[in-house]
Amino acid sequence: MQATPELEYGRMNIGSRPAKRKPSGGIESLRAIPWIFAWTQTRFHLPVWLGFGAAFKHVIEKDIRNLQMLKDMYNGWPFFRVTLDLLEMVFAKGDPGIAALYDKLLVSEDLWPLGERLRSKYEETKGFLLQVHKLILLFYLITRKLTFYGTSLLIALLVIGCRAQGSFGRRSILEAKAQTS
């Protein structure tokens, strides 16, 4: 949670419902909108891919022939194909380097190893996905070429935003502005 601006999104009136089911509740009371927005901003998309890698690993390590079965499922089952295509899109948009930058700027140092393990799982999941279907490489290369200049601007804005979150003790920019006015 420290690695995302979830708290700030949670305070914004984005949807028709509050960000949490119970204001005093923990992570289990979060609603989807601030949770997904926050992980999207970090370019890590954790709620989308986490679990796929473990599933791929389990199936492939159980019997290497299952890799061919996954390829056959991709080619012959539209639901599975669309699911993996969406996962590919997420990996094409993802950038674990930006997620690492969020960690370094916002997360307490004792939690950095957790971020490193998650980024390792991200790469492992991408590797398993590449074994089933290789189109992600094309998406990845095209996306990186098209967004190179935008990424530089994004990183600059990210650092400014993270510095603001850190400087204001994770209070929202609006709260900080109201206190200085």
Side-chain angles (χ1 to χ4, degrees):
M1 298 286 291
Q2 289 180 17
T4 72
E6 183 274 326
L7 293 174
E8 289 73 19
Y9 280 134
R11 291 185 182 120
M12 296 171 68
N13 190 13
I14 296 175
S16 60
R17 298 184 217 161
K20 288 188 170 189
R21 288 173 179 82
K22 293 187 282 184
S24 62
I27 193 169
E28 69 281 352
S29 69
L30 282 176
R31 294 198 184 270
I33 291 175
W35 178 250
I36 298 298
F37 277 10
W39 284 110
T40 299
Q41 183 171 334
T42 67
R43 295 290 201 250
F44 202 45
H45 310 284
L46 181 82
V48 178
W49 60 264
L50 189 64
F52 272 96
F56 283 140
K57 184 176 185 175
H58 174 76
V59 167
I60 293 169
E61 287 181 352
K62 186 174 181 179
D63 185 342
I64 193 64
R65 292 175 294 186
N66 288 339
L67 179 57
Q68 185 57 49
M69 180 189 64
L70 291 171
K71 291 177 181 181
D72 293 343
M73 287 171 61
Y74 181 86
N75 291 322
W77 186 16
F79 175 78
F80 190 70
R81 180 185 194 102
V82 168
T83 301
L84 292 192
D85 287 349
L86 290 172
L87 192 58
E88 285 181 340
M89 180 185 64
V90 165
F91 278 103
K93 292 178 182 180
D95 189 335
I98 291 177
L101 185 57
Y102 265 94
D103 283 359
K104 298 298 181 210
L105 294 172
L106 294 177
V107 176
S108 58
E109 199 170 331
D110 60 315
L111 292 176
W112 289 357
L114 174 60
E116 290 168 8
R117 282 195 309 273
L118 288 171
R119 286 188 296 281
S120 175
K121 293 276 185 207
Y122 177 96
E123 294 301 330
E124 180 181 60
T125 301
K126 186 166 66 172
F128 284 124
L129 183 60
L130 282 169
Q131 289 181 47
V132 176
H133 188 246
K134 296 196 183 323
L135 188 57
I136 191 172
L137 288 177
L138 179 61
F139 280 131
Y140 180 77
L141 294 173
I142 291 172
T143 303
R144 290 292 174 241
K145 288 275 187 196
L146 294 176
T147 61
F148 175 74
Y149 297 107
T151 300
S152 299
L153 177 60
L154 174 71
I155 290 173
L157 293 172
L158 161 87
V159 170
I160 292 168
C162 286
R163 292 283 185 215
Q165 285 176 330
S167 299
F168 301 124
R170 294 197 60 93
R171 292 177 292 153
S172 73
I173 302 297
L174 296 175
E175 286 175 304
K177 187 176 180 183
Q179 288 182 351
T180 58
S181 298

